[in-house]
Amino acid sequence: MALKYYFDLMSQPSRAVYIFLKANKINFEPKPIALRKGEHLTEEYKRVNPWMKVPTLEDNGFILTESVAILRYLSQKYKLPEHWYPHSDLQKQARIDEYLHWQHLNTRLQAAMVFQHKLLIPVAKNEKINEKKVQRFKAELPKVIAHIETYFLRDQKFIGGEDISVADLLAACELMQLFPVFEEDVYESNLKIKAWMERVRTTLNPYFDEGHAITYRTRDSYKKIGPSLGAKL
Amino acid sequence: MGAVKFYADLRSQPCRAVFIFMKANAIQFELEKVDLFLGEQLQEKFTQVHSIQRVPVIDDDGFVLGESGAIFRYLSRKFNVADHWYPAADLARQARIDEYLHWHHTNIRVNAMMTFRHIYINTVRGKPVKEDEVRRHKSELSKALNHMALYFLKERKFLGGHDISVADIQALCELMQLDAVREEGLYLSNPIVGAWIGRVKAAVQPYLAECEAEGVGMMKQLYETITSSSKL
């Protein structure tokens, strides 16, 4: 098959591209890479992506990393409906680009670090959760959520306007990383954001749920693991 | 249609990148300084313009836009600049530039910026520098530069291919921030990166010179003054 997709559904950007491929019925050969087993560190994967991260797209030998670049590449290559990643409306495109650049050190950084410190790091180090570190990143999230609401969403249904875009997809996947560690209140307490997340999920289902299967299972496991690490659920 | 309003502080790396891009493409703009060291980005006046309180920001006839990456694409399309800056038709070339611009945030930017900040801000304030933090960021930066050399550059002249693009200016400005604290060795020590940066500087030299006094030059001067006087 021409398109090979290397991913791990534990990874937020991996989920976003996976859901996107499925929702747009793009044929691809799935190449799951289990991060927890260190499969991204093998010589074999290093030959595909020397930076050793997921996701990676391989299109007939053309290797592409970075979820945002992959999403744009796919949108244009398969001439997908404009709303995903507008190119004829300059201002709409710009607003979506703005979110996609802003999110790295805002939505992604903070939400990912909360998840890391509430699960991955304590498990890896065989230690209890470092609450100070969790709070440090959690403290940044209300501002991030407020910006998503008032600057990016404004009074629209989605970040791009009336229709869903890659910005909404990526934002939702990043915020969902809080769900398995019982921190969804961070975004659900903002009713507009809660409604928007539901809208994204409804619009993209069944693929949204399919892409989040591991996320949902992790939440179930966390009911036991969390308290053993010192988390209060 | 008037000139683009450009809210910036040339001591900020992405601000310089957008500045150089606009100059190189003869895009008319009015610079409105937002003094980051005085916290002007957090004050009411600028917050009214852009509630996210970050620079650079452009205001194009009422359309306000932040994030240098988004600004590059918007200006490229709006002003129909030469294709090599941000290719539109060639999918693979555009993808490589998108890929760099997004990888840049948490790899080159975070590590170069934090190395600079820890050294510069603490030195200027007369406080001790957190050496372990600096070491950590320098180590991460070194790995990132290695990847830049072996994956993005390889035998190519520039990050996106054989022509200069917005990816090169973005990377150049971020790395040059290190010059202000005499840490240019961090990127020059990688021969592939060193050669590439020489090419980028040569391509945009006049515009680089224009933002020197208000940018890296200004910070370098203050840093040199403080560090030389502390040796007395």
Side-chain angles (χ1 to χ4, degrees), chain A residues 155-210:
Chain A
D155 285 308
Q156 304 170 131
K157 283 170 83 176
F158 296 102
I159 293 174
E162 269 299 299
D163 288 298
I164 197 165
S165 73
V166 298
D168 302 278
L169 171 56
L170 204 47
C173 288
E174 289 294 345
L175 291 175
M176 281 298 289
Q177 200 75 335
L178 296 165
F179 186 73
V181 291
F182 287 76
E183 293 285 358
E184 69 274 18
D185 195 57
V186 167
Y187 54 82
E188 288 197 344
S189 54
N190 180 314
L191 298 179
K192 280 197 175 152
I193 294 292
K194 184 179 178 180
W196 159 79
M197 289 268 293
E198 257 311 303
R199 209 173 294 134
V200 172
R201 183 168 173 251
T202 312
T203 307
L204 294 172
N205 262 346
Y207 314 107
F208 187 91
D209 283 343
E210 193 189 323

Side-chain angles (χ1 to χ4, degrees), chain B residues 163-221:
Chain B
D163 266 311
I164 195 170
S165 75
V166 295
D168 301 286
I169 318 182
Q170 186 78 303
L172 169 78
C173 291
E174 199 63 59
L175 292 172
M176 278 191 73
Q177 195 80 341
L178 294 165
D179 295 18
V181 292
R182 290 200 290 263
E183 289 284 1
E184 58 271 25
L186 289 172
Y187 61 82
L188 289 177
S189 58
N190 183 311
I192 296 176
V193 172
W196 157 80
I197 229 176
R199 285 192 288 274
V200 183
K201 279 186 180 177
V204 297
Q205 192 45 49
Y207 321 114
L208 201 52
E210 269 193 76
C211 57
E212 172 78 3
E214 299 273 306
V216 175
M218 187 185 268
M219 296 183 292
K220 196 171 184 175
Q221 228 168 45

Side-chain angles (χ1 to χ4, degrees), chain A residues 65 72 95 97-98 101 104, chain B residues 64 66 73 98-99 102 105:
Chain A
T65 67
R72 183 192 300 277
R95 196 63 71 210
D97 272 343
E98 189 181 15
H101 279 284
H104 290 280
Chain B
V64 179
R73 191 194 305 278
D98 279 344
E99 186 186 25
H102 284 279
H105 288 279

Side-chain angles (χ1 to χ4, degrees), chain A residues 14-53:
Chain A
S14 280
R15 286 200 288 276
V17 176
Y18 180 89
I19 292 166
F20 185 77
L21 285 163
K22 289 277 176 163
N24 286 288
K25 306 209 181 344
I26 297 170
N27 280 325
F28 67 97
E29 187 186 334
K31 302 285 246 177
I33 300 285
L35 298 175
R36 72 192 186 285
K37 291 185 193 164
E39 286 178 3
H40 55 306
L41 303 170
T42 61
E43 278 306 311
E44 197 190 327
Y45 187 64
K46 199 174 176 182
R47 273 193 290 276
V48 173
N49 177 0
W51 194 238
M52 299 180 285
K53 298 258 159 81

Side-chain angles (χ1 to χ4, degrees), chain A residues 51 62-63 65-66 68-69 72 76-77 90-91 93-95 97-98 100-102 104-105 147 151, chain B residues 50-52 63-67 69-70 73 77-78 91 94 96 98-99 102-103 105 107 110 147:
Chain A
W51 194 238
F62 174 66
I63 297 281
T65 67
E66 288 299 323
V68 178
R72 183 192 300 277
Q76 286 187 229
K77 173 161 180 166
L90 261 197
Q91 293 188 2
Q93 174 179 239
R95 196 63 71 210
D97 272 343
E98 189 181 15
L100 294 169
H101 279 284
W102 180 81
H104 290 280
L105 295 175
H147 282 320
Y151 184 83
Chain B
H50 190 66
S51 59
I52 292 194
F63 176 63
V64 179
L65 182 67
E67 285 300 325
R73 191 194 305 278
R77 303 291 168 257
K78 175 97 192 258
L91 260 199
Q94 177 181 219
R96 197 61 74 209
D98 279 344
E99 186 186 25
H102 284 279
W103 178 82
H105 288 279
N107 295 286
V110 158
H147 184 64

Side-chain angles (χ1 to χ4, degrees), chain A residues 3-6 17 21 28 45 48 55-59 61-66 70 73-74:
Chain A
L3 219 54
K4 286 188 184 138
Y5 180 56
Y6 300 82
V17 176
L21 285 163
F28 67 97
Y45 187 64
V48 173
T56 303
L57 186 80
E58 189 181 339
D59 184 8
F62 174 66
I63 297 281
L64 186 64
T65 67
E66 288 299 323
I70 294 171
Y73 178 80
L74 292 171

Side-chain angles (χ1 to χ4, degrees), chain B residues 76-231:
Chain B
S76 296
R77 303 291 168 257
K78 175 97 192 258
F79 292 92
N80 253 314
V81 306
D83 191 65
H84 65 83
W85 285 111
Y86 211 150
D90 187 332
L91 260 199
R93 285 178 61 211
Q94 177 181 219
R96 197 61 74 209
I97 288 163
D98 279 344
E99 186 186 25
Y100 178 79
L101 288 175
H102 284 279
W103 178 82
H104 173 87
H105 288 279
T106 51
N107 295 286
I108 299 291
R109 176 150 174 75
V110 158
N111 293 302
M113 174 176 73
M114 292 311 285
T115 299
F116 162 80
R117 271 200 198 163
H118 275 289
I119 299 173
Y120 187 80
I121 293 178
N122 289 303
T123 302
V124 161
R125 288 184 184 167
K127 288 186 175 170
V129 174
K130 287 184 186 163
E131 294 297 343
D132 53 338
E133 283 293 303
V134 172
R135 249 193 312 272
R136 183 168 70 87
H137 287 293
K138 278 187 180 182
S139 169
E140 292 300 308
L141 181 62
S142 179
K143 284 182 210 161
L145 287 167
N146 206 42
H147 184 64
M148 189 193 241
L150 302 175
Y151 179 81
F152 286 104
L153 283 168
K154 293 195 215 195
E155 336 73 37
R156 300 185 198 114
K157 280 175 78 177
F158 297 100
L159 292 167
H162 49 256
D163 266 311
I164 195 170
S165 75
V166 295
D168 301 286
I169 318 182
Q170 186 78 303
L172 169 78
C173 291
E174 199 63 59
L175 292 172
M176 278 191 73
Q177 195 80 341
L178 294 165
D179 295 18
V181 292
R182 290 200 290 263
E183 289 284 1
E184 58 271 25
L186 289 172
Y187 61 82
L188 289 177
S189 58
N190 183 311
I192 296 176
V193 172
W196 157 80
I197 229 176
R199 285 192 288 274
V200 183
K201 279 186 180 177
V204 297
Q205 192 45 49
Y207 321 114
L208 201 52
E210 269 193 76
C211 57
E212 172 78 3
E214 299 273 306
V216 175
M218 187 185 268
M219 296 183 292
K220 196 171 184 175
Q221 228 168 45
L222 182 58
Y223 185 77
E224 308 261 284
T225 306
I226 292 175
T227 51
S228 59
S229 68
S230 69
K231 284 180 191 139

